[in-house]
Amino acid sequence: MRNIMKKILPIGLSDFKELIDENYYYVDKTLLVDEIVRTGAKVILIPRPRRFGKTLNLSMLRYFFEKSSSSNSYLFEDTAIWQKQEYRALQGT
């Protein structure tokens, strides 16, 4: 029998890395990366009601595109955007 850690709800958390590292539930919205890249817009307005995940989405985008001394690619291994091979090269750029 596998030892499976139960996931917990991320109430009040909005840091993508913390959600993944600490095994919180996460509704995969990584295909937002695809949408943003395809539009090619200089400015993107994302109007949503409060508590709708805007800050978490920005955090996810930051970890996807940000250049850092260590790779953040492991954060995206189980996400929808990672299934699209062409986007793996964009991670960390």
Side-chain angles (χ1 to χ4, degrees):
M1 184 175 190
R2 292 183 346 187
N3 182 12
I4 299 174
M5 291 179 50
K6 288 189 175 186
K7 292 187 179 238
I8 49 181
L9 295 174
I11 298 172
L13 294 176
S14 57
D15 182 59
F16 181 74
K17 185 177 188 304
E18 183 178 357
L19 288 174
I20 301 302
D21 286 345
E22 301 296 324
N23 200 34
Y24 284 94
Y25 276 110
Y26 172 68
V27 175
D28 189 354
K29 296 182 182 178
T30 57
L31 289 179
L32 179 61
V33 171
D34 176 48
E35 201 171 318
I36 288 172
V37 169
R38 279 187 299 113
T39 63
K42 290 184 179 183
V43 176
I44 298 171
L45 177 64
I46 305 174
R48 295 284 184 261
R50 56 190 302 259
R51 310 293 309 155
F52 208 79
K54 295 180 295 292
T55 304
L56 179 57
N57 282 335
L58 286 174
S59 174
M60 179 268 300
L61 290 170
R62 178 185 138 216
Y63 284 111
F64 188 84
F65 288 112
E66 183 177 62
K67 285 184 182 182
S68 62
S69 58
S70 61
S71 175
N72 289 320
S73 61
Y74 77 95
L75 297 171
F76 298 92
E77 288 176 354
D78 295 327
T79 63
I81 197 65
W82 212 246
Q83 304 309 311
K84 296 183 173 222
Q85 188 71 31
E86 65 271 21
Y87 286 98
R88 292 181 184 188
L90 290 177
Q91 199 280 319
T93 59

mmCIF file of all heavy atoms in Angstrom, residues 40-66:
data_model
loop_
_atom_site.group_PDB
_atom_site.id
_atom_site.type_symbol
_atom_site.label_atom_id
_atom_site.label_comp_id
_atom_site.label_asym_id
_atom_site.label_seq_id
_atom_site.Cartn_x
_atom_site.Cartn_y
_atom_site.Cartn_z
ATOM 1 N N GLY A 40 -0.144 37.580 -27.547
ATOM 2 C CA GLY A 40 0.945 38.483 -27.901
ATOM 3 C C GLY A 40 0.701 39.922 -27.486
ATOM 4 O O GLY A 40 1.392 40.818 -27.945
ATOM 5 N N ALA A 41 -0.256 40.148 -26.604
ATOM 6 C CA ALA A 41 -0.592 41.509 -26.170
ATOM 7 C C ALA A 41 0.487 42.069 -25.249
ATOM 8 O O ALA A 41 1.136 41.334 -24.511
ATOM 9 C CB ALA A 41 -1.934 41.507 -25.457
ATOM 10 N N LYS A 42 0.677 43.375 -25.293
ATOM 11 C CA LYS A 42 1.616 44.033 -24.391
ATOM 12 C C LYS A 42 1.023 44.199 -22.999
ATOM 13 O O LYS A 42 1.739 44.210 -22.006
ATOM 14 C CB LYS A 42 2.015 45.399 -24.939
ATOM 15 C CG LYS A 42 2.893 45.312 -26.163
ATOM 16 C CD LYS A 42 3.329 46.685 -26.597
ATOM 17 C CE LYS A 42 4.232 46.569 -27.815
ATOM 18 N NZ LYS A 42 4.729 47.875 -28.232
ATOM 19 N N VAL A 43 -0.290 44.351 -22.943
ATOM 20 C CA VAL A 43 -0.995 44.531 -21.669
ATOM 21 C C VAL A 43 -2.188 43.593 -21.653
ATOM 22 O O VAL A 43 -2.908 43.473 -22.643
ATOM 23 C CB VAL A 43 -1.489 45.989 -21.508
ATOM 24 C CG1 VAL A 43 -2.294 46.156 -20.239
ATOM 25 C CG2 VAL A 43 -0.328 46.953 -21.541
ATOM 26 N N ILE A 44 -2.392 42.950 -20.522
ATOM 27 C CA ILE A 44 -3.530 42.046 -20.378
ATOM 28 C C ILE A 44 -4.318 42.454 -19.148
ATOM 29 O O ILE A 44 -3.748 42.587 -18.061
ATOM 30 C CB ILE A 44 -3.069 40.586 -20.247
ATOM 31 C CG1 ILE A 44 -2.334 40.173 -21.522
ATOM 32 C CG2 ILE A 44 -4.241 39.661 -19.972
ATOM 33 C CD1 ILE A 44 -1.654 38.844 -21.432
ATOM 34 N N LEU A 45 -5.598 42.659 -19.315
ATOM 35 C CA LEU A 45 -6.488 43.007 -18.218
ATOM 36 C C LEU A 45 -7.289 41.767 -17.852
ATOM 37 O O LEU A 45 -7.940 41.168 -18.708
ATOM 38 C CB LEU A 45 -7.425 44.147 -18.635
ATOM 39 C CG LEU A 45 -8.460 44.574 -17.605
ATOM 40 C CD1 LEU A 45 -7.786 45.152 -16.369
ATOM 41 C CD2 LEU A 45 -9.398 45.593 -18.223
ATOM 42 N N ILE A 46 -7.225 41.376 -16.589
ATOM 43 C CA ILE A 46 -7.945 40.187 -16.127
ATOM 44 C C ILE A 46 -8.919 40.614 -15.026
ATOM 45 O O ILE A 46 -8.601 40.549 -13.834
ATOM 46 C CB ILE A 46 -6.974 39.104 -15.605
ATOM 47 C CG1 ILE A 46 -5.951 38.764 -16.680
ATOM 48 C CG2 ILE A 46 -7.730 37.859 -15.173
ATOM 49 C CD1 ILE A 46 -4.863 37.821 -16.248
ATOM 50 N N PRO A 47 -10.098 41.090 -15.417
ATOM 51 C CA PRO A 47 -11.071 41.511 -14.405
ATOM 52 C C PRO A 47 -11.817 40.292 -13.860
ATOM 53 O O PRO A 47 -12.406 39.515 -14.606
ATOM 54 C CB PRO A 47 -12.019 42.435 -15.175
ATOM 55 C CG PRO A 47 -11.960 41.926 -16.577
ATOM 56 C CD PRO A 47 -10.570 41.364 -16.769
ATOM 57 N N ARG A 48 -11.762 40.094 -12.578
ATOM 58 C CA ARG A 48 -12.456 38.998 -11.911
ATOM 59 C C ARG A 48 -12.946 39.493 -10.569
ATOM 60 O O ARG A 48 -12.370 40.414 -9.987
ATOM 61 C CB ARG A 48 -11.516 37.809 -11.680
ATOM 62 C CG ARG A 48 -11.021 37.133 -12.937
ATOM 63 C CD ARG A 48 -12.134 36.272 -13.541
ATOM 64 N NE ARG A 48 -11.670 35.539 -14.696
ATOM 65 C CZ ARG A 48 -11.855 35.883 -15.948
ATOM 66 N NH1 ARG A 48 -12.473 37.014 -16.228
ATOM 67 N NH2 ARG A 48 -11.433 35.144 -16.928
ATOM 68 N N PRO A 49 -13.985 38.861 -10.035
ATOM 69 C CA PRO A 49 -14.444 39.232 -8.688
ATOM 70 C C PRO A 49 -13.360 38.957 -7.654
ATOM 71 O O PRO A 49 -12.436 38.171 -7.888
ATOM 72 C CB PRO A 49 -15.648 38.312 -8.455
ATOM 73 C CG PRO A 49 -16.015 37.782 -9.783
ATOM 74 C CD PRO A 49 -14.793 37.817 -10.634
ATOM 75 N N ARG A 50 -13.495 39.567 -6.513
ATOM 76 C CA ARG A 50 -12.517 39.305 -5.453
ATOM 77 C C ARG A 50 -12.581 37.847 -5.032
ATOM 78 O O ARG A 50 -13.599 37.185 -5.169
ATOM 79 C CB ARG A 50 -12.734 40.242 -4.272
ATOM 80 C CG ARG A 50 -14.107 40.210 -3.668
ATOM 81 C CD ARG A 50 -14.299 41.334 -2.659
ATOM 82 N NE ARG A 50 -13.328 41.282 -1.587
ATOM 83 C CZ ARG A 50 -13.562 40.798 -0.385
ATOM 84 N NH1 ARG A 50 -14.751 40.325 -0.083
ATOM 85 N NH2 ARG A 50 -12.617 40.789 0.522
ATOM 86 N N ARG A 51 -11.457 37.344 -4.569
ATOM 87 C CA ARG A 51 -11.306 35.947 -4.128
ATOM 88 C C ARG A 51 -11.470 34.955 -5.281
ATOM 89 O O ARG A 51 -11.925 33.845 -5.116
ATOM 90 C CB ARG A 51 -12.271 35.591 -2.989
ATOM 91 C CG ARG A 51 -12.308 36.530 -1.826
ATOM 92 C CD ARG A 51 -11.073 36.607 -0.992
ATOM 93 N NE ARG A 51 -10.608 35.277 -0.576
ATOM 94 C CZ ARG A 51 -9.369 35.003 -0.258
ATOM 95 N NH1 ARG A 51 -8.458 35.927 -0.333
ATOM 96 N NH2 ARG A 51 -9.016 33.816 0.120
ATOM 97 N N PHE A 52 -11.096 35.382 -6.488
ATOM 98 C CA PHE A 52 -11.268 34.540 -7.678
ATOM 99 C C PHE A 52 -9.939 33.989 -8.193
ATOM 100 O O PHE A 52 -9.879 33.395 -9.247
ATOM 101 C CB PHE A 52 -11.966 35.355 -8.775
ATOM 102 C CG PHE A 52 -12.764 34.533 -9.728
ATOM 103 C CD1 PHE A 52 -14.017 34.078 -9.385
ATOM 104 C CD2 PHE A 52 -12.275 34.201 -10.995
ATOM 105 C CE1 PHE A 52 -14.767 33.328 -10.270
ATOM 106 C CE2 PHE A 52 -13.014 33.447 -11.877
ATOM 107 C CZ PHE A 52 -14.268 33.010 -11.518
ATOM 108 N N GLY A 53 -8.841 34.210 -7.465
ATOM 109 C CA GLY A 53 -7.568 33.623 -7.819
ATOM 110 C C GLY A 53 -6.643 34.478 -8.658
ATOM 111 O O GLY A 53 -5.704 33.959 -9.255
ATOM 112 N N LYS A 54 -6.876 35.779 -8.710
ATOM 113 C CA LYS A 54 -6.018 36.641 -9.528
ATOM 114 C C LYS A 54 -4.570 36.625 -9.033
ATOM 115 O O LYS A 54 -3.643 36.463 -9.814
ATOM 116 C CB LYS A 54 -6.562 38.072 -9.537
ATOM 117 C CG LYS A 54 -7.920 38.223 -10.205
ATOM 118 C CD LYS A 54 -8.409 39.641 -10.184
ATOM 119 C CE LYS A 54 -8.688 40.189 -8.815
ATOM 120 N NZ LYS A 54 -9.813 39.620 -8.092
ATOM 121 N N THR A 55 -4.371 36.764 -7.740
ATOM 122 C CA THR A 55 -3.028 36.797 -7.177
ATOM 123 C C THR A 55 -2.328 35.454 -7.354
ATOM 124 O O THR A 55 -1.145 35.400 -7.696
ATOM 125 C CB THR A 55 -3.079 37.184 -5.689
ATOM 126 O OG1 THR A 55 -3.752 38.435 -5.565
ATOM 127 C CG2 THR A 55 -1.688 37.294 -5.091
ATOM 128 N N LEU A 56 -3.044 34.360 -7.169
ATOM 129 C CA LEU A 56 -2.463 33.042 -7.362
ATOM 130 C C LEU A 56 -2.070 32.832 -8.823
ATOM 131 O O LEU A 56 -1.009 32.285 -9.113
ATOM 132 C CB LEU A 56 -3.435 31.944 -6.912
ATOM 133 C CG LEU A 56 -2.946 30.512 -7.082
ATOM 134 C CD1 LEU A 56 -1.634 30.280 -6.353
ATOM 135 C CD2 LEU A 56 -4.009 29.540 -6.584
ATOM 136 N N ASN A 57 -2.902 33.279 -9.753
ATOM 137 C CA ASN A 57 -2.562 33.170 -11.179
ATOM 138 C C ASN A 57 -1.317 33.985 -11.513
ATOM 139 O O ASN A 57 -0.458 33.536 -12.279
ATOM 140 C CB ASN A 57 -3.728 33.600 -12.061
ATOM 141 C CG ASN A 57 -4.789 32.545 -12.163
ATOM 142 O OD1 ASN A 57 -4.526 31.362 -11.989
ATOM 143 N ND2 ASN A 57 -6.007 32.958 -12.439
ATOM 144 N N LEU A 58 -1.194 35.173 -10.951
ATOM 145 C CA LEU A 58 0.000 35.992 -11.186
ATOM 146 C C LEU A 58 1.238 35.313 -10.593
ATOM 147 O O LEU A 58 2.316 35.338 -11.191
ATOM 148 C CB LEU A 58 -0.181 37.386 -10.598
ATOM 149 C CG LEU A 58 -1.116 38.298 -11.371
ATOM 150 C CD1 LEU A 58 -1.332 39.604 -10.611
ATOM 151 C CD2 LEU A 58 -0.566 38.583 -12.749
ATOM 152 N N SER A 59 1.079 34.699 -9.442
ATOM 153 C CA SER A 59 2.176 33.971 -8.821
ATOM 154 C C SER A 59 2.601 32.795 -9.706
ATOM 155 O O SER A 59 3.801 32.559 -9.916
ATOM 156 C CB SER A 59 1.753 33.465 -7.442
ATOM 157 O OG SER A 59 2.741 32.647 -6.872
ATOM 158 N N MET A 60 1.636 32.071 -10.252
ATOM 159 C CA MET A 60 1.930 30.948 -11.142
ATOM 160 C C MET A 60 2.672 31.439 -12.380
ATOM 161 O O MET A 60 3.674 30.851 -12.796
ATOM 162 C CB MET A 60 0.629 30.241 -11.539
ATOM 163 C CG MET A 60 0.807 29.060 -12.482
ATOM 164 S SD MET A 60 0.678 29.492 -14.237
ATOM 165 C CE MET A 60 -0.963 30.151 -14.339
ATOM 166 N N LEU A 61 2.218 32.544 -12.962
ATOM 167 C CA LEU A 61 2.881 33.109 -14.136
ATOM 168 C C LEU A 61 4.309 33.543 -13.802
ATOM 169 O O LEU A 61 5.230 33.336 -14.584
ATOM 170 C CB LEU A 61 2.083 34.292 -14.688
ATOM 171 C CG LEU A 61 0.755 33.952 -15.348
ATOM 172 C CD1 LEU A 61 -0.033 35.224 -15.627
ATOM 173 C CD2 LEU A 61 0.964 33.145 -16.620
ATOM 174 N N ARG A 62 4.474 34.124 -12.639
ATOM 175 C CA ARG A 62 5.812 34.547 -12.209
ATOM 176 C C ARG A 62 6.753 33.349 -12.142
ATOM 177 O O ARG A 62 7.861 33.390 -12.674
ATOM 178 C CB ARG A 62 5.728 35.226 -10.848
ATOM 179 C CG ARG A 62 7.075 35.644 -10.332
ATOM 180 C CD ARG A 62 7.004 36.216 -8.933
ATOM 181 N NE ARG A 62 8.131 35.664 -8.207
ATOM 182 C CZ ARG A 62 8.121 35.338 -6.943
ATOM 183 N NH1 ARG A 62 7.043 35.470 -6.225
ATOM 184 N NH2 ARG A 62 9.199 34.865 -6.371
ATOM 185 N N TYR A 63 6.331 32.273 -11.493
ATOM 186 C CA TYR A 63 7.189 31.092 -11.367
ATOM 187 C C TYR A 63 7.409 30.408 -12.716
ATOM 188 O O TYR A 63 8.431 29.766 -12.917
ATOM 189 C CB TYR A 63 6.622 30.097 -10.362
ATOM 190 C CG TYR A 63 6.833 30.533 -8.937
ATOM 191 C CD1 TYR A 63 5.760 30.922 -8.146
ATOM 192 C CD2 TYR A 63 8.107 30.578 -8.378
ATOM 193 C CE1 TYR A 63 5.949 31.333 -6.841
ATOM 194 C CE2 TYR A 63 8.309 30.994 -7.075
ATOM 195 C CZ TYR A 63 7.217 31.362 -6.312
ATOM 196 O OH TYR A 63 7.422 31.781 -5.020
ATOM 197 N N PHE A 64 6.487 30.574 -13.634
ATOM 198 C CA PHE A 64 6.675 29.974 -14.949
ATOM 199 C C PHE A 64 7.709 30.739 -15.765
ATOM 200 O O PHE A 64 8.608 30.149 -16.356
ATOM 201 C CB PHE A 64 5.349 29.896 -15.724
ATOM 202 C CG PHE A 64 5.484 29.107 -16.995
ATOM 203 C CD1 PHE A 64 5.380 27.727 -16.971
ATOM 204 C CD2 PHE A 64 5.741 29.725 -18.202
ATOM 205 C CE1 PHE A 64 5.533 26.980 -18.134
ATOM 206 C CE2 PHE A 64 5.890 29.000 -19.369
ATOM 207 C CZ PHE A 64 5.784 27.614 -19.333
ATOM 208 N N PHE A 65 7.602 32.061 -15.803
ATOM 209 C CA PHE A 65 8.450 32.856 -16.685
ATOM 210 C C PHE A 65 9.724 33.388 -16.034
ATOM 211 O O PHE A 65 10.671 33.726 -16.729
ATOM 212 C CB PHE A 65 7.663 34.031 -17.258
ATOM 213 C CG PHE A 65 6.648 33.621 -18.281
ATOM 214 C CD1 PHE A 65 5.295 33.733 -18.023
ATOM 215 C CD2 PHE A 65 7.042 33.107 -19.498
ATOM 216 C CE1 PHE A 65 4.357 33.355 -18.969
ATOM 217 C CE2 PHE A 65 6.123 32.715 -20.449
ATOM 218 C CZ PHE A 65 4.774 32.846 -20.179
ATOM 219 N N GLU A 66 9.781 33.476 -14.727
ATOM 220 C CA GLU A 66 10.909 34.097 -14.044
ATOM 221 C C GLU A 66 12.205 33.300 -14.192
ATOM 222 O O GLU A 66 12.218 32.086 -14.024
ATOM 223 C CB GLU A 66 10.576 34.231 -12.554
ATOM 224 C CG GLU A 66 11.616 34.926 -11.736
ATOM 225 C CD GLU A 66 11.173 35.075 -10.293
ATOM 226 O OE1 GLU A 66 10.948 34.058 -9.615
ATOM 227 O OE2 GLU A 66 11.027 36.229 -9.871
#
